[in-house]
Amino acid sequence: MIESSDRTPLPRTFFDRPVLEVAPDLLGRTLVRLTDDGPIELRLTEVEAYAGEADPGSHAYRGRTARNAVMFGPPGHAYVYFTYGMWHCLNLVCGPEGAASGVLLRAGEVRVGQELARKRRLSARYDKELAKGPARLATALDVDRTLDGTDACAGPDSPLAVLTGDPVSADQVRTGPRTGVGGDGATQPWRFWIDDDPTVSPYRAHTPRRKRT
DNA sequence: CAGTCGATTCACT
DNA sequence: GTGAATCGACTGA
């Protein structure tokens, strides 16, 4: 039986390109997460590019550490980090090995396994909120640090995969500054999203934290 | 080794 | 719109 082309896994060569090329090209693609309870699939609607050690907004800015080591490895693998003491965020490593670049998967439309996603996203009022934001996306897909380093090009039966999906045309892609990124990393328009899509998260400028007493 | 802060989300006003 | 939650990684002394 011939599989429809939109179910074809993206090959590693897809990710082995400059991150600013890959990021917008991911919009409209299908992210497949195979959980113990079944598959969850979403259509990617919002991403952000992080461009290696020269990018002040990137975790790779100060070089390789235990946490970001995966970003320095080969493309097509998942970089998952834990932040704010509560949340996980999911990236896909891009560029040649050593480029330390990645795309943060910020939002998507859950199309398969909504009931599974909802179990983990009890505060979501509408389906469009299930993966509206990077930590929400990771929560909905049951992604945590145990998936750090997972090869997303290993095929649709692996815990994580990206399929061809239905990529959007260039005139559907909008760009703007990255959300929540401060300092010198705030100016580059390296956030990409699908125009007028209801699952895209709202932009927020970086907010310096107030001192706790 | 203590201090600071985060590629965020949620509850509340 | 504002502030709390919550902890591991990183920084600098």
Side-chain angles (χ1 to χ4, degrees):
Chain A
M1 163 167 165
I2 299 174
E3 298 197 354
S4 58
S5 61
D6 67 327
R7 304 287 301 172
T8 304
L10 294 177
R12 196 169 317 283
T13 51
F14 178 92
F15 299 98
D16 194 3
R17 293 183 289 154
V19 65
L20 293 178
E21 243 177 74
V22 178
D25 201 4
L26 279 169
L27 296 175
R29 310 288 186 173
T30 301
L31 180 66
V32 183
R33 166 77 175 110
L34 211 53
T35 72
D36 294 337
D37 298 323
I40 303 174
E41 297 186 10
L42 62 76
R43 175 176 182 255
L44 292 170
T45 59
E46 181 193 358
V47 299
E48 273 174 6
Y50 287 85
E53 293 182 272
D55 178 0
S58 173
H59 289 169
Y61 185 53
R62 287 176 171 80
R64 180 182 182 135
T65 66
R67 175 174 72 155
N68 67 21
V70 170
M71 271 212 289
F72 288 77
H77 291 248
Y79 165 50
V80 181
Y81 65 87
F82 179 67
T83 191
Y84 288 102
M86 279 170 280
W87 311 110
H88 295 274
C89 293
L90 170 63
N91 302 254
L92 295 173
V93 178
C94 294
E97 178 159 2
S101 298
V103 175
L104 172 67
L105 307 183
R106 288 197 54 92
E109 174 196 355
V110 179
R111 291 188 155 176
V112 171
Q114 289 188 345
E115 65 291 343
L116 297 177
R118 185 161 281 284
K119 283 183 191 168
R120 304 186 54 80
R121 290 277 302 119
L122 296 178
S123 66
R125 285 171 298 177
Y126 309 100
D127 285 345
K128 65 184 179 184
E129 295 175 343
L130 286 173
K132 187 180 194 154
R136 290 169 167 183
L137 184 153
T139 301
L141 268 53
D142 197 16
V143 168
D144 62 25
R145 281 282 285 174
T146 65
L147 286 180
D148 187 51
T150 299
D151 185 0
C153 301
D157 296 329
S158 72
L160 208 57
V162 191
L163 311 181
T164 299
D166 183 19
V168 299
S169 58
D171 64 326
Q172 292 287 105
V173 176
R174 304 208 49 204
T175 67
R178 295 177 292 189
T179 295
V181 175
D184 295 331
T187 51
Q188 300 94 332
W190 289 349
R191 175 176 180 240
F192 304 88
W193 67 95
I194 296 177
D195 185 43
D196 199 37
D197 189 288
T199 67
V200 173
S201 69
Y203 173 78
R204 291 192 202 85
H206 175 71
T207 53
R209 186 180 62 163
R210 264 190 32 165
K211 193 170 180 179
R212 284 205 63 190
T213 54

